[in-house]
């Protein structure tokens, strides 16, 4: 095995099929795979499957991850923080089947507060998502200049788009157009807040499409 540093996702994803990546005491560790799987128990094999799937999710959610974990530990990058945060949302059975609970996934993490009034609506006619929220009173972990973001992910295509919406002080409606080829059934949407300087984030919120 080897300790490695990776600042960008493409440095990580190119080797997923050949190596296993994990973290230990704040360091990135790469373990070389060999022809025979020496995991001795079903639980060890399940853990490996969960970790591999979580690393693969970095590719899908990369636009949000890059900005959504600004307070990650010093010796980690944002992708390490994402994997550590979301292992609990990925499960595997003894047959090797891996399941992702997308409602539990966090694409950002921090202490900023989300707008309590935030709502989202889907329009099939023009393929848009509309986000609305009211202006809030300002206080701890709430600033007028905090910016609302939305991540729209297409699970089937394995890609996503990050949309910058409005600020807390700009109460009202923000609409984003989703590519027409992206079917509603394949979409997963998250919203989160970032401070104006990008140094603070909120925990992301899964926004169901109804």
């Amino acid at each position: 095995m080897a300790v490695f540093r990776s600042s960008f996702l493409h440095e990580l994803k190119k080797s997923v099929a050949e190596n296993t990546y994990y973290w230990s005491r704040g360091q990135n560790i790469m373990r070389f795979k060999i022809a025979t799987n020496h995991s001795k128990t079903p639980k060890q094999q399940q853990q490996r499957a969960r970790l591999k799937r979580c690393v693969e999710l970095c590719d899908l959610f990369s636009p949000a991850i890059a900005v959504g974990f600004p307070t990650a530990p010093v010796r980690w990058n944002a992708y390490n923080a994402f994997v550590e945060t979301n292992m609990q949302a990925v499960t595997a059975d003894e047959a090797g089947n891996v399941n992702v609970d997308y409602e539990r996934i966090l694409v950002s993490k921090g202490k900023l507060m989300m707008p309590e009034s935030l709502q989202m609506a889907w329009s099939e006619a023009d393929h848009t998502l509309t986000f609305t929220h009211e202006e809030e009173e300002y206080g701890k972990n709430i600033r007028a200049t905090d910016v609302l973001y939305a991540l729209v992910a297409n699970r089937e295509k394995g890609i996503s788009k990050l949309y910058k919406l409005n600020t807390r002080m700009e109460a009202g409606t923000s609409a984003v157009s989703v590519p027409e080829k992206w079917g509603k059934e394949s979409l997963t949407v998250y919203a989160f807040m970032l401070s104006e300087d990008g140094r603070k984030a909120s925990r992301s919120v899964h926004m169901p499409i109804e």
Side-chain angles (χ1 to χ4, degrees), residues 72-155:
V74 175
R75 299 183 68 182
W76 287 6
N77 59 36
Y79 300 102
N80 294 125
F82 171 85
V83 172
E84 191 275 339
T85 297
N86 289 292
M87 282 289 286
Q88 45 79 31
V90 181
T91 58
D93 60 25
E94 294 186 2
N97 300 308
V98 181
N99 179 67
V100 179
D101 185 348
Y102 287 95
E103 293 187 9
R104 296 177 64 191
I105 289 289
L106 294 177
V107 299
S108 71
K109 186 177 180 181
K111 295 183 179 181
L112 291 184
M113 301 297 293
M114 287 292 294
E116 294 184 1
S117 60
L118 180 63
Q119 295 184 349
M120 184 188 77
W122 167 259
S123 172
E124 188 69 38
D126 53 9
H127 230 62
T128 62
L129 290 167
T130 302
F131 298 83
T132 60
H133 67 87
E134 299 174 359
E135 184 177 348
E136 296 181 308
E137 295 184 2
Y138 311 129
K140 184 177 181 180
N141 298 323
I142 295 176
R143 296 292 183 272
T145 54
D146 293 340
V147 182
L148 178 65
Y149 285 80
L151 181 80
V152 182
N154 185 314
R155 301 186 306 277

Side-chain angles (χ1 to χ4, degrees), residues 58-68 79 151 159-162 192:
C58 289
D59 196 5
L60 173 60
F61 297 123
S62 59
I65 296 172
V67 298
Y79 300 102
L151 181 80
I159 55 177
S160 61
K161 295 186 67 175
L162 183 63
F192 62 94

Side-chain angles (χ1 to χ4, degrees), residues 13-26:
K13 70 179 182 179
K14 286 183 178 178
S15 300
V16 166
E18 301 170 355
N19 306 304
T20 297
Y21 297 87
Y22 66 102
W23 62 97
S24 177
R25 298 181 181 179

